[in-house]
């Protein structure tokens, strides 16, 4: 057995890199499942993840939810449906697993927390799907944060905002978004994730062929 040691975000990791199969990854003595692959790829130890030969390719996506979406399922179900945010997260996690994406799923009623997650995504993520909820119509600060993010951004609204009050027709975020989904109910989230996965796969394939990876989102 050949053991290699490295540290990621302060976590000590030991890799057994015997044979040609996936590395056995131990963190503080525990054996991890395949969700540890992204860590392995960031450490540049062991064989590449199956989807891309490029060890630096990011497959982390953020799904960010704005104010009042914690009440999904209870709040105005005639408009927002009966599914809870936990149901939406579970559906997103199913798609993420299918499409080999790493997923961070967040909700906040505080604008600054949403901005901080977008800043975090700048350093780590390949794409963002965001339902800014009421901040859609008010927040220049969220637009500025998204403008500082390089990857694809998809804006989601559960309801068809264009069919509702006039103040919901304007979105600050739309001027940055690569796509907008409105009125598809909570299914809009998984549609946005599928599109992100497609763009990430496409970019990885171009990179594998030696092309440019700077055109994510085009
Ligand atoms: C959710 C909200 O909370 C509203 O403020 C937006 C959006 C619409 C949605 O449809 O998901 O206007």
């Amino acid at each position: 057995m050949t053991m290699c040691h490295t540290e990621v975000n302060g976590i000590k990791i030991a890799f057994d890199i015997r044979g040609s199969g996936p590395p056995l990854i131990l963190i503080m003595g525990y054996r991890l499942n395949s969700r540890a692959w992204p860590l392995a790829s960031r450490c540049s130890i062991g064989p590449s993840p199956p989807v891309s030969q490029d060890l630096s390719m990011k497959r982390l996506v953020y799904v960010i939810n704005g104010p009042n979406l914690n009440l999904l399922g209870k709040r105005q179900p005639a408009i927002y449906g009966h599914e809870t945010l936990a149901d939406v997260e579970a559906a997103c996690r199913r798609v993420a697993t299918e499409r080999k994406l790493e997923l961070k799923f967040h909700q906040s009623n505080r604008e600054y927390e949403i901005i901080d997650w977008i800043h975090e995504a700048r350093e780590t993520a390949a794409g963002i799907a965001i339902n800014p909820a009421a901040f859609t119509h008010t927040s220049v600060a969220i637009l500025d944060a998204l403008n500082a993010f390089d990857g694809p951004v998809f804006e989601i609204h559960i309801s068809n905002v264009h069919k509702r009050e006039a103040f919901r027709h304007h979105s600050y975020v739309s001027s940055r978004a690569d796509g907008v989904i409105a009125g598809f109910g909570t299914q809009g989230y998984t549609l946005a994730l599928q599109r992100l996965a497609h763009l990430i796969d496409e970019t990885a394939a171009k990179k594998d062929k030696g092309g440019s990876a700077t055109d994510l989102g085009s």
Side-chain angles (χ1 to χ4, degrees):
M1 179 192 297
T2 313
M3 292 304 287
C4 292
H5 296 87
T6 189
E7 198 170 318
V8 177
N9 296 336
I11 302 168
K12 287 201 187 330
I13 301 174
F15 295 88
D16 164 9
I17 53 170
R18 82 191 127 176
S20 56
L24 170 66
I25 300 167
L26 303 160
I27 296 185
M28 296 181 336
Y30 290 97
R31 185 181 174 156
L32 295 187
N33 62 19
S34 60
R35 289 169 69 95
W37 269 110
L39 284 177
S41 67
R42 265 184 254 139
C43 295
S44 300
I45 293 176
S48 313
V51 172
S52 171
Q53 291 303 305
D54 182 353
L55 293 177
S56 67
M57 186 60 210
K58 292 182 283 190
R59 296 193 66 83
L60 173 64
V61 295
Y62 275 55
V63 176
I64 300 175
N65 291 280
N68 301 306
L69 290 169
N70 53 315
L71 296 180
L72 209 58
K74 298 177 203 141
R75 162 206 187 208
Q76 297 180 280
I79 295 174
Y80 299 108
H82 292 276
E83 275 191 295
T84 65
L85 198 62
D87 296 330
V88 175
E89 179 173 357
C92 288
R93 292 209 175 278
R94 280 194 290 275
V95 171
T97 303
E98 265 167 41
R99 302 298 303 260
K100 298 186 170 54
L101 297 174
E102 227 190 305
L103 176 69
K104 294 218 173 171
F105 191 97
H106 293 299
Q107 187 276 330
S108 182
N109 297 327
R110 299 172 187 88
E111 194 175 15
Y112 77 88
E113 276 191 316
I114 292 167
I115 293 163
D116 284 350
W117 287 322
I118 296 167
H119 291 178
E120 199 180 274
R122 248 184 121 231
E123 307 297 328
T124 56
I128 297 177
I130 183 165
N131 182 348
F135 291 146
T136 307
H137 320 296
T138 62
S139 182
V140 175
I142 289 176
L143 169 63
D144 284 351
L146 289 169
N147 276 331
F149 177 78
D150 286 335
V153 172
F154 291 102
E155 177 182 347
I156 306 162
H157 302 291
I158 296 166
S159 63
N160 180 1
V161 281
H162 301 288
K163 209 177 157 189
R164 299 180 64 192
E165 303 96 315
F167 66 83
R168 295 185 204 275
H169 297 177
H170 177 258
S171 162
Y172 282 98
V173 171
S174 292
S175 68
R176 165 60 183 90
D178 297 289
V180 182
I181 297 175
F184 283 69
T186 53
Q187 207 187 346
Y189 286 81
T190 51
L191 295 173
L193 273 185
Q194 292 285 6
R195 178 69 182 155
L196 281 175
H198 173 81
L199 293 174
I200 292 167
D201 289 349
E202 204 172 60
T203 303
K206 278 185 198 156
K207 256 190 140 182
D208 285 346
K209 280 193 208 143
S212 160
T214 55
D215 47 1
L216 244 181
S218 61

